[in-house]
Amino acid sequence: MDAAVVHSVPEDSSRARPIAPEPEAAAPSATAPLKRSASQAFEDTGLPDEETSHKRAREDKEDAGQKDERGGGEVGADGNALADNLEEELQCGCCSAIVYRPVVVAPCQHFFCGSCVRLWINNGGTSCPACRTVSTGVSYSRPLQTVVDTLLRHAPSKARSVSERMQADALYQPGLPLVIPSPKQASPEPNVPATSSIYMRPCPHCLPGNQWGWRCPQPIADPDSDPGHAWLIEDGNPPGHGVCGNCENVLALQAPTTTRCDFCQVSFCGIGIPQRCIAAPLTIQHPHGFSDLGDLIQCGEVYDCFDGNTVEVDIMLDYLSAQHLSPRHIYREIVAYIQGQPRQFAPLIELELFMDLHPVPGGVDPDPNAPRTRICRMCAAEVLLYGLRDWWIRERKKGFLEEHVMARPDCPQGSQCPRQKDHTHAKEFNHLIAPPDAVDAPPAPLPDLLSAGDFPPLVPAPLQEPPAPGLGDGAGPSGFPAGIPRARTIPGLGHPPEFGDFAAAPSSQDFRDEVDALL
Protein backbone atom coordinates (compact mmCIF):
# COMPACT_ATOMS: atom_id res chain seq x y z
CA MET A 1 0.00 0.00 0.00
CA ASP A 2 1.37 3.40 -0.99
CA ALA A 3 2.44 5.86 1.61
CA ALA A 4 0.26 8.49 0.05
CA VAL A 5 -2.71 6.32 0.61
CA VAL A 6 -1.66 5.50 4.15
CA HIS A 7 -1.18 9.16 5.05
CA SER A 8 -4.56 10.11 3.51
CA VAL A 9 -6.57 7.70 5.63
CA PRO A 10 -6.65 9.70 8.88
CA GLU A 11 -7.83 12.81 7.03
CA ASP A 12 -10.68 10.98 5.26
CA SER A 13 -11.71 9.01 8.35
CA SER A 14 -11.88 12.13 10.49
CA ARG A 15 -13.95 13.82 7.82
CA ALA A 16 -16.33 10.84 7.55
CA ARG A 17 -17.16 10.47 11.28
CA PRO A 18 -15.84 12.65 14.14
CA ILE A 19 -14.25 10.71 16.98
CA ALA A 20 -13.81 12.06 20.47
CA PRO A 21 -10.21 12.57 21.49
CA GLU A 22 -8.64 9.61 23.29
CA PRO A 23 -5.85 9.55 25.84
CA GLU A 24 -2.34 9.09 24.51
CA ALA A 25 -2.15 5.48 25.71
CA ALA A 26 -5.17 4.61 23.62
CA ALA A 27 -3.90 6.26 20.47
CA PRO A 28 -2.80 3.02 18.69
CA SER A 29 -6.39 1.69 18.94
CA ALA A 30 -8.07 4.86 17.68
CA THR A 31 -9.93 2.94 14.97
CA ALA A 32 -11.19 0.18 17.33
CA PRO A 33 -14.74 1.55 17.91
CA LEU A 34 -15.45 1.45 14.15
CA LYS A 35 -17.28 -1.60 12.75
CA ARG A 36 -14.74 -1.74 9.96
CA SER A 37 -11.53 0.07 9.33
CA ALA A 38 -11.40 3.24 7.30
CA SER A 39 -9.14 1.54 4.77
CA GLN A 40 -11.78 -1.14 4.14
CA ALA A 41 -14.43 1.50 3.75
CA PHE A 42 -12.45 3.10 0.93
CA GLU A 43 -10.55 0.20 -0.55
CA ASP A 44 -13.31 -2.45 -0.76
CA THR A 45 -15.86 -0.28 -2.54
CA GLY A 46 -13.87 0.73 -5.55
CA LEU A 47 -16.67 3.26 -6.33
CA PRO A 48 -16.50 6.98 -6.99
CA ASP A 49 -17.22 9.39 -4.16
CA GLU A 50 -20.73 10.32 -5.44
CA GLU A 51 -21.87 6.70 -5.68
CA THR A 52 -20.45 6.03 -2.23
CA SER A 53 -22.43 8.89 -0.69
CA HIS A 54 -25.64 7.73 -2.39
CA LYS A 55 -25.12 4.21 -1.13
CA ARG A 56 -24.54 5.45 2.41
CA ALA A 57 -27.74 7.54 2.30
CA ARG A 58 -29.67 4.54 1.02
CA GLU A 59 -28.35 2.38 3.86
CA ASP A 60 -29.30 5.00 6.44
CA LYS A 61 -32.83 5.14 5.03
CA GLU A 62 -33.18 1.36 5.21
CA ASP A 63 -31.98 1.37 8.84
CA ALA A 64 -34.55 4.02 9.71
CA GLY A 65 -37.31 1.97 8.04
CA GLN A 66 -36.37 -1.11 10.07
CA LYS A 67 -36.56 0.93 13.27
CA ASP A 68 -40.02 2.17 12.29
CA GLU A 69 -41.19 -1.40 11.71
CA ARG A 70 -39.87 -2.54 15.07
CA GLY A 71 -41.33 0.47 16.97
CA GLY A 72 -44.51 0.99 14.97
CA GLY A 73 -46.78 0.29 17.99
CA GLU A 74 -45.16 3.13 19.90
CA VAL A 75 -45.22 5.75 17.14
CA GLY A 76 -48.70 4.95 15.63
CA ALA A 77 -51.97 6.16 17.11
CA ASP A 78 -53.47 3.84 19.72
CA GLY A 79 -57.19 3.23 19.05
CA ASN A 80 -58.16 2.87 22.70
CA ALA A 81 -56.31 6.02 23.69
CA LEU A 82 -57.98 7.92 20.85
CA ALA A 83 -61.42 6.72 21.96
CA ASP A 84 -60.70 7.80 25.52
CA ASN A 85 -59.57 11.23 24.35
CA LEU A 86 -62.70 11.66 22.24
CA GLU A 87 -64.86 10.61 25.17
CA GLU A 88 -63.35 13.36 27.30
CA GLU A 89 -63.82 15.95 24.56
CA LEU A 90 -67.44 14.94 23.94
CA GLN A 91 -68.58 15.04 27.55
CA CYS A 92 -71.74 16.97 28.35
CA GLY A 93 -71.14 19.90 30.68
CA CYS A 94 -74.18 18.95 32.78
CA CYS A 95 -74.20 15.15 33.14
CA SER A 96 -70.45 14.51 32.41
CA ALA A 97 -71.31 11.63 30.05
CA ILE A 98 -70.93 11.37 26.29
CA VAL A 99 -73.27 13.98 24.88
CA TYR A 100 -76.62 12.54 23.69
CA ARG A 101 -78.55 14.38 21.00
CA PRO A 102 -76.23 17.38 21.34
CA VAL A 103 -77.40 20.97 21.21
CA VAL A 104 -75.22 24.08 20.97
CA VAL A 105 -75.92 27.24 22.95
CA ALA A 106 -75.36 30.53 21.15
CA PRO A 107 -73.31 32.69 21.27
CA CYS A 108 -70.86 30.89 23.59
CA GLN A 109 -70.99 27.62 21.52
CA HIS A 110 -71.01 25.31 24.55
CA PHE A 111 -72.73 22.01 23.82
CA PHE A 112 -74.86 19.79 26.05
CA CYS A 113 -77.36 16.97 25.84
CA GLY A 114 -80.71 18.21 24.62
CA SER A 115 -82.41 16.54 27.59
CA CYS A 116 -79.99 18.22 30.01
CA VAL A 117 -80.83 21.66 28.60
CA ARG A 118 -84.53 20.86 28.89
CA LEU A 119 -84.09 19.97 32.58
CA TRP A 120 -81.97 23.09 33.05
CA ILE A 121 -84.79 25.24 31.67
CA ASN A 122 -87.46 23.46 33.72
CA ASN A 123 -85.44 24.07 36.87
CA GLY A 124 -85.25 27.81 36.25
CA GLY A 125 -82.04 28.19 34.25
CA THR A 126 -81.74 31.57 32.54
CA SER A 127 -78.30 31.34 30.88
CA CYS A 128 -75.72 28.90 29.53
CA PRO A 129 -75.16 26.11 32.09
CA ALA A 130 -71.39 26.29 31.59
CA CYS A 131 -70.43 29.97 31.42
CA ARG A 132 -73.67 31.70 32.54
CA THR A 133 -73.76 33.77 29.36
CA VAL A 134 -77.19 35.03 28.32
CA SER A 135 -78.34 32.75 25.51
CA THR A 136 -79.61 33.98 22.17
CA GLY A 137 -80.57 30.54 20.88
CA VAL A 138 -80.20 26.76 21.23
CA SER A 139 -79.90 24.54 18.16
CA TYR A 140 -79.37 20.86 17.44
CA SER A 141 -75.82 20.02 16.21
CA ARG A 142 -75.62 17.41 13.45
CA PRO A 143 -71.80 17.54 13.15
CA LEU A 144 -71.40 16.69 16.83
CA GLN A 145 -73.91 13.88 16.49
CA THR A 146 -71.90 12.46 13.58
CA VAL A 147 -68.70 12.43 15.66
CA VAL A 148 -70.51 10.76 18.55
CA ASP A 149 -71.98 8.10 16.26
CA THR A 150 -68.52 7.36 14.84
CA LEU A 151 -67.04 7.00 18.32
CA LEU A 152 -69.82 4.69 19.53
CA ARG A 153 -69.52 2.58 16.39
CA HIS A 154 -65.90 1.75 17.27
CA ALA A 155 -66.43 1.71 21.06
CA PRO A 156 -69.97 0.44 21.73
CA SER A 157 -69.21 -0.04 25.42
CA LYS A 158 -69.20 3.74 25.88
CA ALA A 159 -72.83 4.10 24.80
CA ARG A 160 -75.56 4.93 27.32
CA SER A 161 -77.97 2.31 28.57
CA VAL A 162 -81.33 1.81 26.92
CA SER A 163 -83.23 3.21 29.89
CA GLU A 164 -81.12 6.38 29.92
CA ARG A 165 -81.72 6.90 26.21
CA MET A 166 -85.47 6.40 26.64
CA GLN A 167 -85.62 8.93 29.46
CA ALA A 168 -83.61 11.44 27.42
CA ASP A 169 -85.80 10.92 24.34
CA ALA A 170 -88.88 11.61 26.42
CA LEU A 171 -87.47 15.03 27.33
CA TYR A 172 -86.03 16.10 23.99
CA GLN A 173 -86.13 15.09 20.34
CA PRO A 174 -84.09 16.75 17.56
CA GLY A 175 -86.10 19.48 15.94
CA LEU A 176 -88.03 20.54 19.03
CA PRO A 177 -87.49 24.20 19.92
CA LEU A 178 -85.42 24.97 23.00
CA VAL A 179 -85.36 28.49 24.42
CA ILE A 180 -83.33 29.44 27.47
CA PRO A 181 -85.20 32.36 29.02
CA SER A 182 -83.37 35.57 29.72
CA PRO A 183 -82.82 36.62 33.34
CA LYS A 184 -85.54 38.69 34.90
CA GLN A 185 -84.84 42.36 35.24
CA ALA A 186 -84.87 43.65 38.78
CA SER A 187 -87.83 45.82 39.69
CA PRO A 188 -87.02 49.47 40.27
CA GLU A 189 -86.67 50.39 43.88
CA PRO A 190 -89.63 52.32 45.26
CA ASN A 191 -89.11 55.78 46.63
CA VAL A 192 -89.61 54.93 50.28
CA PRO A 193 -88.46 57.61 52.72
CA ALA A 194 -85.80 56.28 55.06
CA THR A 195 -87.09 57.24 58.46
CA SER A 196 -87.71 55.51 61.75
CA SER A 197 -90.20 58.11 62.97
CA ILE A 198 -93.29 57.02 64.83
CA TYR A 199 -95.31 59.60 62.91
CA MET A 200 -96.99 59.31 59.54
CA ARG A 201 -95.30 61.31 56.78
CA PRO A 202 -97.44 63.49 54.48
CA CYS A 203 -98.46 61.98 51.14
CA PRO A 204 -97.30 63.66 47.88
CA HIS A 205 -100.63 65.47 47.60
CA CYS A 206 -100.56 66.85 51.14
CA LEU A 207 -97.88 69.41 50.35
CA PRO A 208 -99.08 72.74 49.00
CA GLY A 209 -98.08 73.54 45.44
CA ASN A 210 -97.25 69.92 44.57
CA GLN A 211 -96.48 69.01 40.97
CA TRP A 212 -99.72 67.06 40.47
CA GLY A 213 -101.94 70.12 40.92
CA TRP A 214 -104.24 68.57 43.50
CA ARG A 215 -104.10 68.81 47.29
CA CYS A 216 -105.64 66.61 49.94
CA PRO A 217 -108.71 68.15 51.63
CA GLN A 218 -107.38 66.68 54.89
CA PRO A 219 -103.58 66.95 54.64
CA ILE A 220 -101.32 65.11 57.05
CA ALA A 221 -99.25 67.39 59.25
CA ASP A 222 -95.50 67.24 58.76
CA PRO A 223 -93.98 65.90 62.00
CA ASP A 224 -90.82 67.97 61.42
CA SER A 225 -92.58 71.33 61.11
CA ASP A 226 -95.73 70.67 63.14
CA PRO A 227 -95.05 67.88 65.64
CA GLY A 228 -98.04 68.86 67.74
CA HIS A 229 -100.49 67.80 65.02
CA ALA A 230 -98.49 64.86 63.67
CA TRP A 231 -100.33 61.58 63.09
CA LEU A 232 -99.10 58.50 64.94
CA ILE A 233 -98.55 55.42 62.82
CA GLU A 234 -100.07 53.18 65.48
CA ASP A 235 -103.38 55.04 65.09
CA GLY A 236 -103.88 53.60 61.61
CA ASN A 237 -104.40 55.45 58.37
CA PRO A 238 -105.28 59.12 58.55
CA PRO A 239 -108.71 60.18 57.23
CA GLY A 240 -108.85 60.15 53.43
CA HIS A 241 -105.54 58.30 53.13
CA GLY A 242 -104.29 54.77 52.61
CA VAL A 243 -101.20 52.80 51.70
CA CYS A 244 -100.17 51.84 48.15
CA GLY A 245 -100.34 48.10 47.53
CA ASN A 246 -97.08 48.13 45.58
CA CYS A 247 -94.64 50.70 46.98
CA GLU A 248 -96.36 50.95 50.40
CA ASN A 249 -96.20 54.74 50.43
CA VAL A 250 -98.97 56.89 51.86
CA LEU A 251 -101.53 57.97 49.25
CA ALA A 252 -104.62 60.13 49.06
CA LEU A 253 -107.66 58.00 48.28
CA GLN A 254 -109.35 60.77 46.26
CA ALA A 255 -106.28 61.90 44.32
CA PRO A 256 -106.52 61.80 40.51
CA THR A 257 -103.48 59.50 40.33
CA THR A 258 -104.93 56.94 42.75
CA THR A 259 -106.59 53.84 41.31
CA ARG A 260 -108.38 50.97 43.02
CA CYS A 261 -108.45 47.31 42.01
CA ASP A 262 -111.99 45.98 41.70
CA PHE A 263 -110.87 42.49 42.69
CA CYS A 264 -108.66 42.84 45.77
CA GLN A 265 -109.97 46.32 46.72
CA VAL A 266 -106.41 47.63 47.22
CA SER A 267 -105.50 51.19 46.19
CA PHE A 268 -102.39 52.23 44.25
CA CYS A 269 -100.73 55.65 44.25
CA GLY A 270 -99.62 55.80 40.61
CA ILE A 271 -96.55 57.82 41.68
CA GLY A 272 -93.94 55.58 43.32
CA ILE A 273 -93.49 53.22 40.32
CA PRO A 274 -95.84 54.44 37.60
CA GLN A 275 -95.81 51.18 35.62
CA ARG A 276 -96.57 49.03 38.67
CA CYS A 277 -98.37 51.25 41.18
CA ILE A 278 -101.58 51.22 39.16
CA ALA A 279 -104.82 49.30 38.73
CA ALA A 280 -105.21 49.40 34.95
CA PRO A 281 -108.23 48.49 32.81
CA LEU A 282 -108.79 44.76 32.50
CA THR A 283 -107.58 44.21 28.95
CA ILE A 284 -104.39 46.29 29.10
CA GLN A 285 -102.95 45.16 32.43
CA HIS A 286 -99.73 43.12 32.60
CA PRO A 287 -99.92 40.01 34.79
CA HIS A 288 -97.29 40.25 37.50
CA GLY A 289 -94.28 38.02 36.85
CA PHE A 290 -95.38 36.94 33.36
CA SER A 291 -93.66 39.22 30.86
CA ASP A 292 -92.50 36.54 28.40
CA LEU A 293 -92.50 32.81 27.72
CA GLY A 294 -89.52 32.27 30.00
CA ASP A 295 -91.59 33.36 32.98
CA LEU A 296 -94.13 30.63 32.24
CA ILE A 297 -91.33 28.08 32.08
CA GLN A 298 -89.94 29.11 35.45
CA CYS A 299 -93.29 29.39 37.25
CA GLY A 300 -94.05 26.31 39.33
CA GLU A 301 -97.71 27.30 39.62
CA VAL A 302 -98.13 26.68 35.90
CA TYR A 303 -97.32 23.01 36.47
CA ASP A 304 -99.76 22.97 39.38
CA CYS A 305 -102.51 24.12 37.01
CA PHE A 306 -101.94 20.88 35.06
CA ASP A 307 -101.71 18.66 38.18
CA GLY A 308 -97.98 18.16 37.74
CA ASN A 309 -98.34 16.84 34.17
CA THR A 310 -95.03 18.05 32.74
CA VAL A 311 -95.69 16.47 29.35
CA GLU A 312 -98.78 18.60 28.76
CA VAL A 313 -96.98 21.72 29.98
CA ASP A 314 -94.09 21.06 27.60
CA ILE A 315 -96.53 20.57 24.71
CA MET A 316 -98.20 23.88 25.55
CA LEU A 317 -94.88 25.74 25.87
CA ASP A 318 -93.65 24.41 22.53
CA TYR A 319 -96.94 25.49 20.96
CA LEU A 320 -96.66 28.98 22.44
CA SER A 321 -93.10 29.28 21.15
CA ALA A 322 -94.08 28.13 17.65
CA GLN A 323 -97.12 30.44 17.51
CA HIS A 324 -95.25 33.39 19.11
CA LEU A 325 -97.88 33.81 21.83
CA SER A 326 -97.07 35.76 24.98
CA PRO A 327 -98.57 35.42 28.47
CA ARG A 328 -100.28 38.75 27.97
CA HIS A 329 -102.03 37.40 24.87
CA ILE A 330 -103.26 34.40 26.84
CA TYR A 331 -104.45 36.67 29.65
CA ARG A 332 -106.50 38.80 27.26
CA GLU A 333 -108.22 35.77 25.76
CA ILE A 334 -108.99 34.41 29.23
CA VAL A 335 -110.51 37.76 30.28
CA ALA A 336 -112.62 37.92 27.10
CA TYR A 337 -113.88 34.38 27.71
CA ILE A 338 -114.78 35.03 31.36
CA GLN A 339 -116.57 38.26 30.47
CA GLY A 340 -118.72 36.27 28.06
CA GLN A 341 -119.96 33.96 30.81
CA PRO A 342 -123.24 34.67 32.61
CA ARG A 343 -121.63 35.21 36.03
CA GLN A 344 -118.37 36.62 34.70
CA PHE A 345 -115.85 36.94 37.58
CA ALA A 346 -118.22 35.96 40.40
CA PRO A 347 -116.90 32.35 40.66
CA LEU A 348 -113.33 33.64 41.07
CA ILE A 349 -114.33 36.06 43.80
CA GLU A 350 -116.25 33.33 45.60
CA LEU A 351 -113.11 31.20 45.60
CA GLU A 352 -111.29 34.08 47.35
CA LEU A 353 -108.49 34.02 44.80
CA PHE A 354 -107.70 37.69 45.37
CA MET A 355 -107.31 37.67 49.14
CA ASP A 356 -104.00 38.57 50.82
CA LEU A 357 -102.07 39.18 47.60
CA HIS A 358 -100.49 42.44 48.80
CA PRO A 359 -98.61 43.44 51.94
CA VAL A 360 -101.41 45.88 52.79
CA PRO A 361 -105.00 44.88 53.58
CA GLY A 362 -107.69 45.50 51.02
CA GLY A 363 -110.92 47.40 51.49
CA VAL A 364 -114.49 46.17 51.55
CA ASP A 365 -116.17 45.36 48.26
CA PRO A 366 -119.01 47.89 48.02
CA ASP A 367 -121.06 45.81 45.55
CA PRO A 368 -120.17 42.16 44.91
CA ASN A 369 -122.40 42.16 41.84
CA ALA A 370 -120.88 45.28 40.30
CA PRO A 371 -118.96 44.91 37.02
CA ARG A 372 -115.17 44.69 37.27
CA THR A 373 -113.30 47.20 35.14
CA ARG A 374 -109.88 47.72 36.82
CA ILE A 375 -107.38 45.15 37.99
CA CYS A 376 -103.91 45.21 39.53
CA ARG A 377 -100.93 43.19 38.34
CA MET A 378 -101.17 40.59 41.10
CA CYS A 379 -104.85 39.91 40.48
CA ALA A 380 -104.21 39.72 36.73
CA ALA A 381 -101.67 36.97 37.39
CA GLU A 382 -104.28 35.07 39.42
CA VAL A 383 -106.77 35.35 36.55
CA LEU A 384 -104.15 34.02 34.15
CA LEU A 385 -103.36 31.01 36.31
CA TYR A 386 -107.05 30.34 36.99
CA GLY A 387 -108.01 30.17 33.31
CA LEU A 388 -104.79 28.77 31.81
CA ARG A 389 -105.88 25.12 31.78
CA ASP A 390 -109.29 25.81 30.24
CA TRP A 391 -107.70 28.18 27.71
CA TRP A 392 -105.32 25.43 26.62
CA ILE A 393 -108.24 22.97 26.21
CA ARG A 394 -110.00 25.48 23.95
CA GLU A 395 -106.79 26.24 22.07
CA ARG A 396 -106.19 22.58 21.32
CA LYS A 397 -109.48 22.40 19.47
CA LYS A 398 -108.28 24.91 16.87
CA GLY A 399 -106.36 22.12 15.12
CA PHE A 400 -102.87 23.61 15.17
CA LEU A 401 -101.28 20.83 17.21
CA GLU A 402 -99.46 17.91 15.67
CA GLU A 403 -101.49 14.84 14.84
CA HIS A 404 -99.68 12.50 17.22
CA VAL A 405 -100.50 14.81 20.14
CA MET A 406 -104.22 14.87 19.41
CA ALA A 407 -104.30 11.14 18.59
CA ARG A 408 -103.45 10.10 22.14
CA PRO A 409 -106.29 8.19 23.79
CA ASP A 410 -108.00 9.75 26.79
CA CYS A 411 -107.02 8.40 30.16
CA PRO A 412 -110.12 6.90 31.85
CA GLN A 413 -109.30 8.71 35.10
CA GLY A 414 -108.72 12.10 33.47
CA SER A 415 -107.26 14.82 35.65
CA GLN A 416 -107.72 12.61 38.72
CA CYS A 417 -105.22 10.08 37.41
CA PRO A 418 -102.42 9.62 39.96
CA ARG A 419 -100.02 8.43 37.24
CA GLN A 420 -100.07 11.54 35.09
CA LYS A 421 -96.90 12.72 36.81
CA ASP A 422 -95.22 9.65 35.32
CA HIS A 423 -93.59 10.90 32.12
CA THR A 424 -94.21 7.71 30.12
CA HIS A 425 -97.87 7.45 31.10
CA ALA A 426 -98.52 11.15 30.52
CA LYS A 427 -96.94 10.93 27.08
CA GLU A 428 -99.12 7.97 26.10
CA PHE A 429 -102.50 9.25 27.35
CA ASN A 430 -104.35 12.54 27.29
CA HIS A 431 -105.48 13.84 30.69
CA LEU A 432 -107.14 17.13 29.74
CA ILE A 433 -110.33 16.30 27.86
CA ALA A 434 -110.96 12.85 29.29
CA PRO A 435 -114.57 12.02 30.33
CA PRO A 436 -114.11 12.94 34.04
CA ASP A 437 -113.09 16.46 33.02
CA ALA A 438 -115.56 16.95 30.19
CA VAL A 439 -118.81 18.84 30.69
CA ASP A 440 -121.88 16.64 30.82
CA ALA A 441 -123.15 16.23 27.29
CA PRO A 442 -126.66 17.56 26.60
CA PRO A 443 -129.37 14.94 26.13
CA ALA A 444 -129.61 13.62 22.62
CA PRO A 445 -132.50 15.15 20.64
CA LEU A 446 -135.52 12.94 20.26
CA PRO A 447 -136.05 11.60 16.74
CA ASP A 448 -138.96 12.89 14.73
CA LEU A 449 -142.02 10.89 15.65
CA LEU A 450 -144.02 9.31 12.89
CA SER A 451 -147.37 10.86 12.12
CA ALA A 452 -150.68 9.20 12.94
CA GLY A 453 -151.14 8.30 9.30
CA ASP A 454 -148.16 5.96 9.49
CA PHE A 455 -150.02 3.68 11.90
CA PRO A 456 -153.22 1.77 10.95
CA PRO A 457 -156.19 2.44 13.23
CA LEU A 458 -156.69 -0.12 15.93
CA VAL A 459 -160.18 -1.62 15.77
CA PRO A 460 -161.23 -3.05 19.12
CA ALA A 461 -162.47 -6.58 18.95
CA PRO A 462 -166.17 -7.15 19.70
CA LEU A 463 -167.02 -8.35 23.14
CA GLN A 464 -167.57 -12.03 23.43
CA GLU A 465 -170.36 -13.50 25.44
CA PRO A 466 -169.31 -16.15 27.89
CA PRO A 467 -169.89 -19.66 26.58
CA ALA A 468 -173.09 -21.27 27.62
CA PRO A 469 -172.74 -23.88 30.25
CA GLY A 470 -172.98 -27.39 29.04
CA LEU A 471 -170.97 -26.82 25.86
CA GLY A 472 -168.03 -28.45 27.42
CA ASP A 473 -164.91 -27.21 29.16
CA GLY A 474 -162.49 -28.60 26.62
CA ALA A 475 -160.59 -26.47 24.17
CA GLY A 476 -159.97 -27.01 20.52
CA PRO A 477 -156.58 -27.45 18.94
CA SER A 478 -156.23 -23.67 18.44
CA GLY A 479 -157.12 -22.62 21.94
CA PHE A 480 -160.77 -21.84 21.26
CA PRO A 481 -163.43 -23.44 23.41
CA ALA A 482 -164.52 -26.69 21.96
CA GLY A 483 -168.18 -25.66 21.60
CA ILE A 484 -167.51 -22.42 19.68
CA PRO A 485 -166.93 -22.57 15.95
CA ARG A 486 -163.74 -21.04 14.64
CA ALA A 487 -163.96 -17.92 12.58
CA ARG A 488 -162.36 -17.44 9.22
CA THR A 489 -159.06 -15.55 9.03
CA ILE A 490 -158.74 -12.77 6.48
CA PRO A 491 -155.30 -12.58 4.85
CA GLY A 492 -153.28 -9.58 6.08
CA LEU A 493 -155.09 -9.26 9.43
CA GLY A 494 -154.23 -10.97 12.63
CA HIS A 495 -157.79 -11.58 13.73
CA PRO A 496 -161.13 -12.18 12.04
CA PRO A 497 -163.44 -9.18 11.75
CA GLU A 498 -166.57 -10.91 12.81
CA PHE A 499 -165.10 -12.52 15.90
CA GLY A 500 -162.24 -12.04 18.29
CA ASP A 501 -161.21 -11.84 21.92
CA PHE A 502 -159.19 -9.44 24.01
CA ALA A 503 -156.19 -11.73 23.83
CA ALA A 504 -155.91 -11.06 20.09
CA ALA A 505 -155.85 -7.25 20.46
CA PRO A 506 -152.42 -5.71 21.19
CA SER A 507 -151.95 -4.26 24.65
CA SER A 508 -150.64 -0.72 25.33
CA GLN A 509 -147.19 -2.12 26.16
CA ASP A 510 -147.10 -4.04 22.90
CA PHE A 511 -148.03 -0.86 21.08
CA ARG A 512 -145.18 1.08 22.68
CA ASP A 513 -142.78 -1.72 21.81
CA GLU A 514 -143.85 -1.59 18.19
CA VAL A 515 -143.41 2.21 18.09
CA ASP A 516 -139.93 1.91 19.56
CA ALA A 517 -139.03 -0.71 16.99
CA LEU A 518 -140.20 1.54 14.16
CA LEU A 519 -138.25 4.48 15.54
Side-chain angles (χ1 to χ4, degrees), residues 6-80:
V6 174
H7 290 295
S8 63
V9 170
E11 296 178 3
D12 294 338
S13 61
S14 62
R15 190 166 51 248
R17 182 176 299 179
I19 300 177
E22 296 286 342
E24 295 182 357
S29 59
T31 59
L34 299 177
K35 293 183 179 179
R36 55 181 178 173
S37 62
S39 60
Q40 292 178 351
F42 286 92
E43 291 177 358
D44 296 343
T45 57
L47 297 175
D49 294 340
E50 294 182 1
E51 295 183 8
T52 303
S53 60
H54 288 305
K55 183 178 180 181
R56 186 179 298 111
R58 192 164 52 249
E59 291 177 353
D60 294 340
K61 188 175 182 179
E62 291 177 357
D63 293 341
Q66 293 177 359
K67 292 181 180 179
D68 291 343
E69 293 178 359
R70 290 194 303 268
E74 300 175 359
V75 178
D78 186 10
N80 294 332

Side-chain angles (χ1 to χ4, degrees), residues 161-213:
S161 62
V162 177
S163 60
E164 290 180 346
R165 295 198 298 268
M166 291 178 61
Q167 293 177 0
D169 290 339
L171 291 172
Y172 174 76
Q173 289 288 341
L176 294 179
L178 281 177
V179 179
I180 298 179
S182 58
K184 293 183 178 180
Q185 296 181 356
S187 301
E189 294 294 333
N191 185 17
V192 180
T195 177
S196 59
S197 174
I198 61 174
Y199 297 104
M200 185 78 70
R201 307 294 302 183
C203 76
H205 296 90
C206 291
L207 302 177
N210 60 77
Q211 57 179 334
W212 292 277

